[in-house]
Amino acid sequence: MQALKGHSMNRNDFPRGFIWGTATASYQIEGAVHEDGRGQSIWDTFSHTPGKVKNGDTGDVACDHYHRYREDIALMKELGVNAYRFSLAWPRVFPEGRGTLNPKGLDFYQRLVDELLNKDITPWATLYHWDLPQALQDQGGWTNRDTVQAYVEYADAVSGRLGDRVKHWITHNEPWVAAIIGHLWGFHAPGLQDAAAALQVSHHLLLSHGLAVPVLRANSSGSSVGITLNLSPIHPASPAPQDVAAARRQDGFHNRWFLDPLFGFGYPADMLEAFGPLAPQMEAGDLEKIAAPTDFLGINYYTRSVVKHDSSDPFLQTKGVRAGDEHTFFDWEVYPDGLREIIVRVGREYRPKAIYITENGATYPDRIDTDGEVRDFERQRYLERHFAKLWEAIREGAPLKGYFLWSLLDNFEWGEGYEKRFGITYVDFATQKRTLKHSGRWYRAFLHTTSVLSGN
Ligand code: GCO
């Protein structure tokens, strides 16, 4: 790894063709919630329910990206990224979830994609980043198996329209979060607290992924199709056997519960046993469908987790422990080596054809200084250290092909509202003015540099 020591890293240290991008999600940036026939989503309902989101914030306006996408794409161009990961709002396309298509909703994404292509930025479309149409939630949402079919119809409509120009498809973003935070912890929409429902939702999300894969391929010839999981190394708080066992359970719940079925191993036996009667209802053939071969796996990585045994936890008898001495504004530990660890492990154990980091980034309490600068050196440092780990993972043989920084813009951070800023661009939400932070300038310099290769 000595090649990285002598100079500051830049894109030339990475293999030719490595993808460098930024990522966002529809509800977090678009705003325009009543525009052009968009229907209501579960996040509209949730954010407008008093007490659910910090400071009563909602995505009603967000970054107003729906109207400012040209400016935002110009910003990406200035940064020098060659790909952009965004998500589509299902209720713009089918305001009632299924049935009557709203062409104006699809028109927006067509304009967005065309503008990206004009600027030589490759669009990576995520179909589902949590904004389920409320009309489907009213029928049980993801707990209802019919929603799987509605999702496949939505995937069909979107890829039928955009499949000639979008060639990278991500079916779902972080099904663990949608299932667990949305249906067991209740901190995200739709705000349920029901373990059996949460696990049933996880199964339906995976099934809908598997059923959408062939539809996307059929509508978008030559495209790459994958799914994005939020994965973390899980470390025991101590070498005590009880803590080691707790870490194994947590790994099963957080990582293997999704990875195993996606890669054809079925649900992990230890977790089926641990969940007992809470385990999801399945039908014959579901597991084969979930294991539809994909072209890549997307991994979102922010931090590791450290856990210990805790018999008072009714679900898995585990408890998270605060580890390390460096943390972001979310109190997530800064742990760059976890990025290398999870990439290398997934590459070895599951053999995906390719891995992309589809999100990685950090929140810090940024402010605009009186001279108009945002000096977010901690975020820059976070990124530098994680980029070095991407490099190490490649050197260890992982099929890592690209990286998408979360996020292009400060945006609506779900239950945290606008308080937690993840952008490399500062957004003044009162004026919608965008200001590139120091971390953004650092990324731009990293991407533009033409310095010589250092022999790796
Ligand atoms: C995620 C999310 C993002 C969050 C980010 C920071 O997929 O978890 O895609 O929407 O904003 O992770 O919490």
Side-chain angles (χ1 to χ4, degrees):
M1 309 293 126
Q2 68 277 39
L4 278 183
K5 292 223 175 91
H7 70 299
S8 90
M9 198 182 20
N10 63 61
R11 89 191 289 168
N12 290 332
D13 292 308
F14 287 80
R16 202 174 283 277
F18 196 83
I19 304 290
W20 293 102
T22 55
T24 64
S26 48
Y27 190 70
Q28 296 183 271
I29 64 165
E30 285 178 0
V33 293
H34 300 300
E35 208 138 323
D36 291 336
R38 176 187 179 276
Q40 189 173 330
S41 84
I42 57 175
W43 268 98
D44 297 297
T45 310
F46 192 76
S47 65
H48 280 270
T49 307
K52 297 295 186 192
V53 175
K54 234 181 229 173
N55 306 317
D57 290 343
T58 73
D60 287 4
V61 178
C63 307
D64 194 32
H65 172 77
Y66 193 82
H67 301 113
R68 295 169 193 261
Y69 67 93
R70 281 202 180 80
E71 180 189 344
D72 293 337
I73 292 171
L75 190 57
M76 291 178 221
K77 188 68 192 167
E78 186 199 326
L79 283 169
V81 297
N82 52 19
Y84 172 50
R85 173 178 179 239
F86 63 96
S87 79
L88 290 93
W90 183 345
R92 285 198 195 280
V93 180
F94 287 106
E96 295 299 317
R98 65 199 306 183
T100 311
L101 183 124
N102 173 37
K104 285 188 169 172
L106 269 176
D107 288 349
F108 168 67
Y109 296 108
Q110 176 136 353
R111 291 196 296 277
L112 176 76
V113 163
D114 286 347
E115 180 71 7
L116 287 165
L117 293 172
N118 278 337
K119 296 274 191 299
D120 283 325
I121 298 172
T122 307
W124 285 58
T126 301
L127 288 171
Y128 188 73
H129 202 127
W130 313 343
D131 39 3
L132 185 74
Q134 180 62 38
L136 294 178
Q137 189 61 43
D138 296 342
Q139 313 290 316
W142 285 109
T143 65
N144 181 348
R145 198 175 162 102
D146 289 346
T147 298
V148 173
Q149 197 46 46
Y151 171 86
V152 176
E153 291 161 18
Y154 159 64
D156 186 29
V158 171
S159 56
R161 171 80 179 269
L162 300 177
D164 59 339
R165 49 199 93 189
V166 174
K167 296 295 179 185
H168 296 85
W169 297 96
I170 295 173
T171 54
H172 281 285
N173 177 69
E174 304 190 351
W176 184 90
V177 172
I180 304 304
I181 304 190
H183 299 80
L184 173 59
W185 299 353
F187 301 143
H188 278 188
L192 300 192
Q193 293 183 314
D194 177 336
L199 293 172
Q200 190 64 50
V201 165
S202 71
H203 180 67
H204 288 156
L205 289 167
L206 287 172
L207 180 61
S208 71
H209 153 82
L211 290 171
V213 169
V215 173
L216 295 167
R217 288 197 201 294
N219 286 343
S220 180
S221 66
S223 61
S224 289
V225 181
I227 186 169
T228 280
L229 303 178
N230 54 306
L231 302 177
S232 293
I234 315 284
H235 295 157
S238 84
Q242 274 199 324
D243 288 346
V244 172
R248 178 83 187 147
R249 281 195 302 282
Q250 185 66 21
D251 180 63
F253 174 50
H254 194 101
N255 298 320
R256 290 181 288 119
W257 184 254
F258 295 88
L259 286 165
D260 282 14
L262 285 168
F263 287 93
F265 304 110
Y267 287 108
D270 60 334
M271 298 318 294
L272 286 172
E273 196 186 321
F275 293 146
L278 300 174
Q281 305 294 312
M282 295 178 231
E283 291 182 10
D286 283 2
L287 289 173
E288 289 72 31
K289 288 170 186 138
I290 290 172
T294 50
D295 302 295
F296 65 88
L297 177 70
I299 298 177
N300 293 352
Y301 176 79
Y302 291 91
T303 187
R304 66 166 170 172
S305 83
V306 178
V307 301
K308 65 175 186 181
H309 179 84
D310 178 5
S311 44
S312 72
D313 166 38
F315 187 56
L316 283 179
Q317 292 78 55
T318 62
K319 189 177 166 115
V321 170
R322 189 174 193 270
D325 45 23
E326 232 187 303
H327 301 84
T328 68
F329 191 28
F330 237 135
D331 210 28
W332 295 349
E333 183 190 4
V334 178
Y335 190 76
D337 196 53
L339 177 59
R340 181 202 58 78
E341 181 181 333
I342 199 71
I343 295 170
V344 169
R345 170 192 172 187
V346 167
R348 287 191 185 141
E349 290 182 15
Y350 296 94
R351 308 237 154 245
K353 284 192 205 143
I355 295 174
Y356 292 89
I357 297 305
T358 40
E359 286 178 27
N360 171 244
T363 177
Y364 289 101
D366 304 312
R367 63 186 167 88
I368 293 230
D369 290 336
T370 44
D371 61 358
E373 304 269 311
V374 182
R375 295 179 168 80
D376 60 335
F377 298 120
E378 287 171 299
R379 180 176 292 103
Q380 175 182 328
R381 186 81 192 111
Y382 178 100
L383 295 171
E384 283 173 339
R385 291 165 68 192
H386 284 78
F387 283 22
K389 294 296 174 177
L390 300 173
W391 192 87
E392 290 185 22
I394 294 169
R395 288 302 172 277
E396 288 184 46
L400 179 67
K401 306 293 181 200
Y403 173 93
F404 294 81
L405 198 162
W406 186 272
S407 184
L408 174 68
L409 304 168
D410 293 336
N411 60 45
F412 176 79
E413 178 54 32
W414 309 112
E416 301 292 316
Y418 294 99
E419 193 179 283
K420 297 281 190 301
R421 295 174 175 271
F422 271 88
I424 53 172
T425 308
Y426 188 92
V427 177
D428 177 336
F429 291 103
T431 63
Q432 292 297 341
K433 182 169 189 286
R434 277 90 162 120
T435 303
L436 203 58
K437 303 180 191 177
H438 273 239
S439 59
R441 292 198 204 158
W442 173 82
Y443 194 35
R444 184 177 61 188
F446 173 93
L447 292 174
H448 280 99
T449 189
T450 50
S451 78
V452 273
L453 283 172
S454 46
N456 54 82

